[in-house]
Amino acid sequence: MNRDASRLYEIWENEPAPNRGADYEQVKSRGYPYDEDWEYHSYPIGNGYIGANLFGRTDSERVQITDKTLHIEGPYPGRGGLSNFLELYLDFDHADTTNYRRALNLNTATATVSYESIGICYNREYFASYPGRVVVIRLTADTTGALSLKVRPQIPYVNTKEPGDRRSVTTVVDEDLITLSGTMAFFPCNYEAQVKVLHGGGQLSADHESITVANADSVTILLATGTNYRLGPHIFLNEPDKKLDPDFYPHEEVSAIITQAVAKGYEKIKADHLADYRNLFDRVAVNLNSRPSSLPTSTLLAKYQQGQRDTWLEELMFQYGRYLLIASSREKSLPANLQGTWSQYECTPWSGGYWHNINVQMNYWGAMSANLAETFESYIAFFNAYLPKAREYATDIVRQNHPDLVMEGADNGWIVGTGANAYYIPASRGHSGPGTGGFTSKLLMDYYLFTGDRAFLEDVAYPAMLSLSRFYSSTLVPHGDLLLVEPSASPEQRATEDQLHEMPGHMTESGHYITVGCTFDQGFVWENFNDTLILARLLGKEDPFLKTIEEQMAKLDPILIGRSGQIKEYREEDAYSDIGDPRHRHISHLCPLYPGTLINAASPDWMAAASKTLDLRGDRTTGWAIIHRMTCRARLKEGEQAHGLYALLLSEKTTPNLWTLHPPFQVDANLGLVAGVAEMLLQSHEEYIELLPALPEAWANGSFKGLVARGNFVIDAEWIDGRVTRITVTARNGGKCRLAYPGIGSAYVVHADGKPVAFEEGQNDRIIFNTTKGGSYLLLLAEEIQMRRA
């Protein structure tokens, strides 16, 4: 069994990415030109603040830069939308090259390019440092004085005709520094980028927009960006022209970043970058019955898509998802958006926003289980910033729908709709019901359950849960003995005129079906009430309102089974697809299965109905929707089906650079698959930790190290022929550890110091033992014991 955690994960090719530019004959998402070369072939690096896409070209290298705070008016009037920040070109003019290789090393978050031209070997290294807030490009050659290039940054899309999308730009070149600054018209957003060119040997010259380096031994390029965006409640509470301070310019901030980077020097910046990144990435190792492949990534993917299902690609994709999450979401940055932190577009598809009817939640489903809880801290800060506006929305909605329940001057709760971005959050109206709030609070609950962070529980999680419960309580309307959310909508589902004729609901102007008590809303009200009560018990709270929601919870009746054996999406449906698209991408009525916990093994009828619903809905859909199906199959313990969906994503919705497609590119499936794989290997939502609950035959032999279960237990496991042989538990917080696996009652349990550990054997192949904070425990199962004796 391979217990080595140092497997090398690379995405690589033996040719540069093409750069043919935007295709104005093909448009996607509200009419913006599509760039297949950027989407299919460029390599992404990022530090949470900045995303960079690398093409690895030898003629004129393109480094495309995104800053998540730079927005134009965008596709939805008045709301804002992410936009391309900068294009940096490095003109080498190396036409005849050999031995070319470009790679993205996931172990070090470093991209490299190497090739030979006229007998000289050239090397490039790129990384985005979170500690330094800079993008670094290091150029070397094996021959003295061989490096000559022109460095020419450009602000894109300066000639747009739309008033809200216009940008000004001023370029100043001062010796080895290029400064580009200006204002985006809409908010307005003041921005600046600085490009510092440091050379070892040779000569440097400049004109009014570029720097030329001649005959250098080495070159280091430092790039930093900044805007006048400052996250806080004012961003969401104020009108567009009041969100940002028009008199604040980020020049001093960006200058300080560059000055500090110069003072540190390349070696120190890189060392800090590696220490910071490896602290996160190296926590988890997996072996999914694979052997590293020597094929270029595009070839490996093409063979997989032709039926040669190499599990190395499946393992690589899992670690790539973890890499992308680290690159796009760090503690002090904005959260990962619909495209992570990467966009080459003037107007990013769907505004590059935070869509709260599944997409932003999917970004973070795997953060906790894949040992990257810190990456969720950016969303916590974002949540705290938009919460005052979300409270305003809740009060407005209660006043509009249930005016007699409004508590003037008191807490009416909070709610967030889908379609948010860095500058704007919507209310819960239109095509998605108020379940979007519970969808979001589930993330807060899981962050606490996985980390056990007591301060977070007291300051953020419990107050947020209780407040949302107050809003939900006011949305419930008596219908006989039941309490149903009214109005209610299953995200993005529409009804036909024929269906509507037979049903009690109505359609919006856009054709979306509005009704009462759909499963999406009822389910997330149940999840929120249940989580609120759990946290209240942990804190010893005795608020009288808790009794109210406990009583209301019993009247929700959230899960119904229809005539086709399906989980009903709507209370009024009988057979499957009585209402809506039978192949719809959303499976919102299965959210109580995943990411919720209402549908679980204690309710086998519901589990069977959920499986039937997935059968009826079908697998062929958009990228992120495949992943939601995958996580649901994993929760159902249906390993082969979950693995089949993973294979489908790779076969039909994955590009040569391993980005995933809606289409166009969205990062949610890349990040969500991390949760899917982790859920197949380890589950902990049913008050015990279950090993290999959905292991497919393709992963019959393997291991993992560093996955996290609720209770903040770090789990390592090894298995042979589908049977676990060895488990290690590290108890970060201490407390009772509950494990489940067939035959675990006969396991031999020892502490790290070698002393045997007593355990209580429960029913259904479960054991319980006490742990101390920081303690490590080894469990050997029958196969391992027999091998040791042999």
Side-chain angles (χ1 to χ4, degrees), residues 21-36 38-39 157 343-349 664:
D23 181 0
Y24 286 84
E25 296 299 318
Q26 182 181 179
V27 294
K28 292 195 175 186
S29 180
R30 303 185 182 272
Y32 293 92
Y34 177 64
D35 187 341
E36 181 178 307
W38 176 88
E39 181 171 287
Y157 305 117
S343 174
Q344 74 89 44
Y345 297 99
E346 177 182 13
C347 184
T348 305

Side-chain angles (χ1 to χ4, degrees), residues 519 526-527 559 567 589-594 596-603 605-608 610 635-636 685-686:
T519 302
W526 187 95
E527 296 285 345
I559 305 298
I567 299 289
H589 46 317
L590 295 187
C591 286
L593 171 66
Y594 189 96
T597 60
L598 173 58
I599 299 176
N600 57 58
S603 306
D605 291 348
W606 288 358
M607 295 281 276
R635 277 280 170 95
L636 293 169
H685 62 288
E686 294 184 327

Side-chain angles (χ1 to χ4, degrees), residues 525-545:
V525 172
W526 187 95
E527 296 285 345
N528 173 255
F529 283 0
N530 187 57
D531 290 343
T532 300
L533 293 170
I534 290 171
L535 298 187
R537 286 193 291 270
L538 287 171
L539 291 170
K541 298 292 183 179
E542 297 182 355
D543 188 327
F545 177 68

Side-chain angles (χ1 to χ4, degrees), residues 716-787:
D716 307 345
E718 299 175 10
W719 62 93
I720 298 172
D721 294 331
R723 289 287 304 165
V724 170
T725 58
R726 181 185 181 98
I727 304 166
T728 302
V729 177
T730 302
R732 284 174 170 165
N733 296 351
K736 288 187 181 294
C737 180
R738 297 171 171 86
L739 294 177
Y741 187 75
I744 199 168
S746 61
Y748 178 61
V749 185
V750 295
H751 191 272
D753 61 10
K755 294 180 181 178
V757 175
F759 61 83
E760 175 187 345
E761 188 171 355
Q763 296 179 343
N764 300 323
D765 293 305
R766 303 179 189 182
I767 64 170
I768 304 171
F769 59 94
N770 293 317
T771 68
T772 58
K773 185 175 181 178
S776 185
Y777 305 84
L778 173 65
L779 290 82
L780 300 179
L781 276 76
E783 287 84 350
E784 177 80 2
I785 294 171
Q786 290 172 4
M787 285 190 293

